[in-house]
Amino acid sequence: MFKAFKEKFDKLVSSIKLKTLSRDELEKYRDEFVLFLVENDVAFEVAEKIFDGFLESIEEHKINRFKDVEGELKELFKNYIHRILKSLEPDSLEDRIRRLESRPYKIMFIGVNGVGKTTSLAKVGYRLKKSGLLPLLVCSDTFRAGAIEQLKTHAERLSLPFFSTTYGHDPAAVAYDAISYAESRKYDVVLIDTAGRQYSNVNLMNELSKVARINNPNEIVLVLDSLTGYDAYTQAKEFHDHVGFDYLIFTKVDADVKGGAILTVTYEFRKPIQYLGVGQRYEDLKPFNSDEMIKLMFGG
Ligand SMILES: Nc1nc2c(ncn2[C@@H]2O[C@H](COP(=O)(O)OP(=O)(O)OP(=O)(O)O)[C@@H](O)[C@H]2O)c(=O)[nH]1
Ligand SMILES: [Mg+2]
């Protein structure tokens, strides 16, 4: 992953000829910089913002004739992106859960169809169980055929408790009942799966905000498919405006992703990435680490 990003970045930097490392000089290469980002799936308007932010971060200085200008420019841009990603590194979910005295800790998973909500929820359940916490898997997707059976199968495989009702039920009510059920059994966490929806469907977006309003989750996790590029940005914008979210999970990072979706959404919304989905097995969920991500993007 991020192979194209790294290659294109190296190419971009070697095409830049600077006399001084200054904002004015770099401004001349705005189009090239923005194009490099856009080619890597960064949304155009965010690519412009990233470039502006980068320029602002630069302290002007003359370049010594014998200095490695390319190397210095590379370092500056890499460090700029690194600082942003680092500032968005969250604490561990397990710590947040343990810090909360009341039980259960409520997490709601949202996102468009097929991004990997249910799979990610099951992976989170697996992680929590391994750390000694007991999560209840809740299917508030009473809409898509097979959704209840799908999550139930995960619960059985993971030997975790499961809660659902029947298709057609109000998802907000299902989540509400599940929370009471978890309270009475002293479960640590409630993981609420919701039906995938297109952000253009206003009724379904309203339904989702109702689930959140009534059940007041401790956190809402937006799941995005890192392969979707620009659309991930649109999705984040719509879910942000209609429902809101606290953390991000990017799935399918095991495929050859360009990285732009991740960069765009985190830059624009400044929400922490909790995990990256890196495959189809339960173990394939990695806590986000900015150092690793920067290494993949820029090498070194
Ligand atoms: N390679 C890979 N596949 C993934 C990852 N996460 C999810 N998938 C796959 O993506 C497909 C869709 O996953 P689901 O979890 O059912 O997606 P969903 O968002 O719940 O879908 P709906 O409930 O229909 O909206 C499945 O085939 C998953 O195995 C990942 O990190 N890597
Ligand atoms: Mg699902």
Side-chain angles (χ1 to χ4, degrees):
M1 56 182 170
F2 304 117
K3 210 165 142 260
F5 188 97
K6 191 183 162 322
E7 280 170 13
K8 289 205 169 98
F9 182 64
D10 288 345
K11 223 169 118 196
L12 166 75
V13 171
S14 53
S15 74
I16 292 178
K17 306 279 171 258
L18 298 171
K19 287 196 278 301
T20 55
L21 202 47
S22 70
R23 289 181 196 154
D24 287 347
E25 284 276 312
L26 271 170
E27 181 64 49
K28 294 179 196 154
Y29 291 94
R30 169 178 291 272
D31 290 350
E32 286 83 349
F33 246 98
V34 169
L35 184 68
F36 148 70
L37 290 168
V38 170
E39 277 178 352
N40 279 291
D41 279 351
V42 175
F44 182 78
E45 54 267 48
V46 179
E48 293 262 357
K49 284 188 199 172
I50 292 177
F51 185 68
D52 288 336
F54 172 52
L55 284 192
E56 257 170 55
S57 77
I58 286 188
E59 306 214 358
E60 325 241 328
H61 58 278
K62 282 214 163 32
I63 292 168
N64 179 322
R65 204 152 55 88
F66 304 107
K67 242 187 170 172
D68 168 19
V69 182
E70 248 179 60
E72 197 160 338
L73 177 60
K74 253 187 201 170
E75 272 310 293
L76 284 176
F77 188 66
K78 178 173 144 184
N79 291 342
Y80 174 66
I81 299 294
H82 198 172
R83 278 199 301 278
I84 291 163
L85 293 180
K86 189 111 204 145
S87 72
L88 293 171
E89 227 168 43
D91 54 355
S92 90
L93 173 61
E94 291 83 347
D95 286 350
R96 286 202 297 283
I97 294 169
R98 292 206 161 91
R99 272 203 303 271
L100 185 82
E101 277 175 23
S102 65
R103 288 282 180 265
Y105 191 91
K106 299 166 277 181
I107 310 176
M108 197 174 139
F109 291 72
I110 64 172
V112 307
N113 310 78
V115 287
K117 291 176 296 300
T118 305
T119 309
S120 300
L121 184 152
K123 289 173 175 177
V124 170
Y126 169 79
R127 274 188 73 91
L128 295 179
K129 184 182 177 192
K130 262 194 15 189
S131 81
L133 293 161
L134 185 54
L136 173 68
L137 309 196
V138 179
C139 187
S140 268
D141 180 354
T142 54
F143 179 72
R144 181 174 62 75
I148 296 178
E149 292 74 15
Q150 186 190 0
L151 189 60
K152 187 162 185 241
T153 304
H154 283 304
E156 283 167 3
R157 282 195 200 134
L158 294 167
S159 300
L160 287 174
F162 171 71
F163 188 97
S164 73
T165 55
T166 52
Y167 289 104
H169 265 189
D170 179 353
V174 177
Y176 189 86
D177 290 344
I179 292 163
S180 309
Y181 180 84
E183 262 162 11
S184 66
R185 283 166 182 74
K186 308 251 177 312
Y187 292 147
D188 298 301
V189 189
V190 175
L191 302 175
I192 303 166
D193 197 11
T194 62
R197 63 205 69 218
Q198 291 309 312
Y199 45 81
S200 51
N201 190 325
V202 177
N203 288 341
L204 287 181
M205 289 302 265
N206 287 341
E207 176 194 89
L208 197 58
S209 80
K210 182 180 160 195
V211 181
R213 223 170 37 247
I214 289 184
N215 294 292
N216 193 23
N218 296 87
E219 57 189 71
I220 298 180
V221 178
L222 175 65
V223 182
L224 295 170
D225 177 338
S226 52
L227 289 166
T228 47
Y230 184 82
D231 201 51
Y233 173 54
T234 316
Q235 291 168 26
K237 214 164 19 186
E238 294 297 324
F239 280 98
H240 177 267
D241 292 350
H242 286 94
V243 190
F245 60 87
D246 307 293
Y247 293 92
L248 292 158
I249 292 181
F250 282 95
T251 61
K252 308 181 196 181
V253 183
D254 46 310
D256 188 20
V257 300
K258 291 177 180 165
I262 298 176
L263 207 51
T264 302
V265 174
T266 48
Y267 195 88
E268 185 66 17
F269 298 96
R270 304 289 162 127
K271 296 287 184 192
I273 305 173
Q274 191 75 52
Y275 298 113
L276 299 178
V278 294
Q280 310 220 22
R281 300 168 314 155
Y282 294 124
E283 305 84 49
D284 293 333
L285 189 73
K286 283 178 59 148
F288 174 71
N289 179 302
S290 64
D291 299 347
E292 276 176 29
M293 173 79 78
I294 287 294
K295 242 185 219 151
L296 287 171
M297 287 175 132
F298 296 96

